[in-house]
Amino acid sequence: MSSKLIAPSILAADFANLERDIHMVNESEADWFHIDIMDGVFVPNISFGMPVLKAITKHAKKTIDVHLMIVDPDRYIKTFADLGSNILTVHFEACTHLHRTLQAIKAEGMKAGVALNPHTNINVLEDTINDIDLVCLMSVNPGFGGQSFIEHTYNKIEQLKALIQRKGAHTLIEIDGGVTDKNATALAKTGADVLVAGSFVFKSPNQMDTIKNLRSIANS
Ligand code: DX5
Ligand code: ZN
């Protein structure tokens, strides 16, 4: 079985010391950079935009996993490709023509991800799962870091895993929100492939050790 991956969420980094925090992730055992882009419309918060992503990708040496929490994401697919995104995840709830959006992301040479809000049923991916490289299951309501994990997520992982197997798809399951050392083992055992962790990593005293421990318990 392939390793479970850890993706620190830069939303929880110290923006006044971004270069330092990016180097920390580079030097750590983390696998990906998780980058949250919020527009203040799809979610009730604004994070950061293109110039900041450009500054991040200039220093980041690992996979850039961009999570778009914006309306009408099709407008910016090429922009995010040009800025160095490797994975581009759009929200199911923000896409009227999801199939077209997925093809457009892949046409720009990126992996295509779809995020589902906590209220959105797995069944909505029945007809697109074979076109999706990654499903990001929101385990909090998107918009803010530091929220509590929603326990129902475990049921959704099971349902999603069953769908992926039934359809013979190769989709990765990513969990985003409230991930800590308390739930990482259970999430990995239930079927998560990628764990996003923001506050748990960046608010900890030794961030590199926290990443190392999280990765090791997810793979235990
Ligand atoms: C929430 C974001 C998450 C967030 C996770 O809308 O999509 O990626 O940064 O933060 P924590 O790990 O603090 O819940
Ligand atoms: Zn995210």
Side-chain angles (χ1 to χ4, degrees), residues 9 11 34 36 38 67 69 138 142-146 176-178 196-199:
S9 174
L11 185 66
H34 184 84
D36 291 304
M38 305 176 182
H67 176 193
M69 284 159 273
M138 292 310 303
F144 304 92
D176 189 8
V196 173
S199 313

Side-chain angles (χ1 to χ4, degrees), residues 24 200-201 203-213:
M24 183 281 293
F200 183 67
V201 166
K203 308 288 179 237
S204 71
N206 190 327
Q207 302 168 348
M208 299 234 323
D209 279 355
T210 301
I211 292 170
K212 186 183 164 88
N213 291 338

Side-chain angles (χ1 to χ4, degrees), residues 158-186:
E158 284 171 3
Q159 291 161 17
L160 177 57
K161 204 172 160 58
L163 174 65
I164 291 167
Q165 284 172 349
R166 182 159 53 82
K167 296 280 188 173
H170 302 285
T171 317
L172 293 177
I173 300 175
E174 178 178 68
I175 306 302
D176 189 8
V179 171
T180 68
D181 58 352
K182 303 281 182 292
N183 53 26
T185 309

Side-chain angles (χ1 to χ4, degrees), residues 154 180-190 195 217-220:
Y154 291 111
T180 68
D181 58 352
K182 303 281 182 292
N183 53 26
T185 309
L187 288 168
K189 293 240 181 307
T190 311
L195 300 180
I217 59 172
N219 283 287
S220 61

Side-chain angles (χ1 to χ4, degrees), residues 76-146:
Y76 298 109
I77 291 172
K78 186 171 184 329
T79 306
F80 281 102
D82 293 345
L83 286 168
S85 313
N86 302 111
I87 304 165
L88 193 64
T89 295
V90 294
H91 263 265
F92 173 83
E93 301 83 5
C95 295
T96 311
H97 301 285
L98 181 63
H99 185 272
R100 180 189 290 154
T101 304
L102 295 171
Q103 305 312 318
I105 293 171
K106 291 183 195 177
E108 291 294 339
M110 297 178 286
K111 300 273 189 202
V114 176
L116 296 187
N117 276 337
H119 75 270
T120 304
N121 197 280
I122 299 298
N123 294 339
V124 299
L125 301 179
E126 178 92 21
D127 293 303
T128 42
I129 194 72
N130 294 94
D131 299 304
I132 302 174
D133 296 303
L134 173 144
V135 172
C136 175
L137 289 181
M138 292 310 303
S139 38
V140 297
N141 282 294
F144 304 92

